[in-house]
Amino acid sequence: MADFSSLGLSDWLVKQCKQLGVNKPTPVQENCIPAILEGRDCMGCAKTGSGKTAAFVLPVVQKLSEDPYGIFCLVLTPTRELAYQIAEQFRVLGKPLGLRDCIVVGGMDMVSQAIELSNQPHVVVSTPGRLADHIRSSNTFSMRKIQFLILDEADRLLEQGCTDFTKDLETILGTLPAKRQTLLFSATLTDTLHELKNIAMNRPFFWESTSETRTVEELDQRYVLTPEKVKDAYLVHLIQKFTDEHDDWSIMIFTNTCKNCQILTMMLREFNFQTISLHSMMKQKQRFANLAKFKASVFKILIATDVAARGLDIPTVQVVINHNTPGLPKIYIHRVGRTARAGRHGVSITLVTQYDIHLVQSIEELIQTKLKEYPVVEKEVLKILTQVNVTRRQCEIKLESTDFDEKKEINKRKQLILEGKDPDLEAKRKAELEKIQSQKKKFKQRIQETIQQQQRVQLKKKLTKRKQMKNKKAAQKTA
Ligand SMILES: Nc1ncnc2c1ncn2[C@@H]1O[C@H](COP(=O)(O)OP(=O)(O)OP(=O)(O)O)[C@@H](O)[C@H]1O
């Protein structure tokens, strides 16, 4: 196996890696670093926790040391927390250079970000929306000379999911030089490869780990079959079990909505579990604070939406529980990838209801691994069922008495204003669209009913005619 020096990195950088306990390159690093140092575009697809971040940070820092200027490199990533994590890697590995980074994400003060950008940092790490806002609103910085554009979690940035980055990416790409190196990384790159090829055009070097399975061997992947109404009781039972059996543990629980995240956090606290949450309805400062507390093991349980599914590197996470089965198999890969990172062991448990069986099948197909059943003594779960369900209902009532739903509405309106839309007009449009759709549906139904009625009449006619013929034939016979 190669070492970092043989990949073309300078001694000081190899030494810096050693100080961080990074001694031997992982396969994605071994393969991508030389190609990037050669000046090629690169697409790296490797499993979660396999060191993709250092695979792009190290060659960029190496190149920066040869010709330092700002702004040298732009990294785009889908979430704010991830932006901070990536910036930290640049800061630590580039410390001997005096590398200056600038983090540009939503929810934080825009003026101070603009000042930092105008000071020409070497590396800008950003979420697309906020950077595009800066580009649209100020001309205090230029990215005309950047040498590297990096899209971390590239498939997420380019797909049109619930947050669509397309417009912001267009704005950003319009300010970048055509002559640059573009690097794309993700654990699930191959699904959207054709889109990615349009962005990276300079003799792209593509590397994907050869393993058939899409998740790491160190991950023990389990499921628990549960009726929808018993799900929360299973969750409480599983957490209790881990608390009883392990001293040094932390758990990440994924659920589908911000509201559910909030309710589950309140509910688990009622059962005296040290729980904290992370979702997009929280203020950004609170999001950072909660993540920091979880990282420091002040809180052992983090309940999050998919905003935390990708990229977060928290070595203490030993268990991931999917409170809902993810609708998209690749989301499953990212969620369970929050444990069993960098060669460590971990467990993932997915709660599967009667409605989710087909989802599990498509997950198993993508990861090329069968999930195993996690043994649970049902009697133990049933013992706490009523208490859990009553507690959950109490938490729901408590949350309803706060302005949580109202805040959600306000956030939606704010988002529309930021997108340059009039919230009232949008609401009117939505209502009109719904009305048209419902009219269309009714119309379709009516047509279908008419056709069916016509078919019934025709059938009746046919039957009567047949009967008449039969009677006629019988009459002729007797005559
Ligand atoms: N060569 C190495 N040797 C040992 N540890 C490493 C090495 N490279 C990176 N690591 C460590 O491995 C962990 C996971 O790395 P990283 O966060 O880059 O994973 P990733 O591949 O980007 O995962 P994800 O797909 O979830 O984003 C980090 O804690 C990192 O410090």
Side-chain angles (χ1 to χ4, degrees), residues 101-132:
D101 65 271
C102 168
I103 303 167
V104 179
V105 296
M108 304 302 273
D109 182 39
M110 214 162 154
V111 177
S112 53
Q113 284 174 359
I115 295 169
E116 270 190 67
L117 280 169
S118 67
N119 285 334
Q120 296 181 319
H122 298 117
V123 177
V124 174
V125 188
S126 177
T127 47
R130 178 53 69 90
L131 186 63

Side-chain angles (χ1 to χ4, degrees), residues 231 254-256 306 321-327 335 350-351 356:
K231 212 169 164 179
F254 286 99
T255 188
N256 53 354
D306 284 325
I321 299 179
N322 285 318
H323 182 257
N324 73 305
T325 312
R335 279 185 181 186
T350 303
L351 298 180
D356 306 324

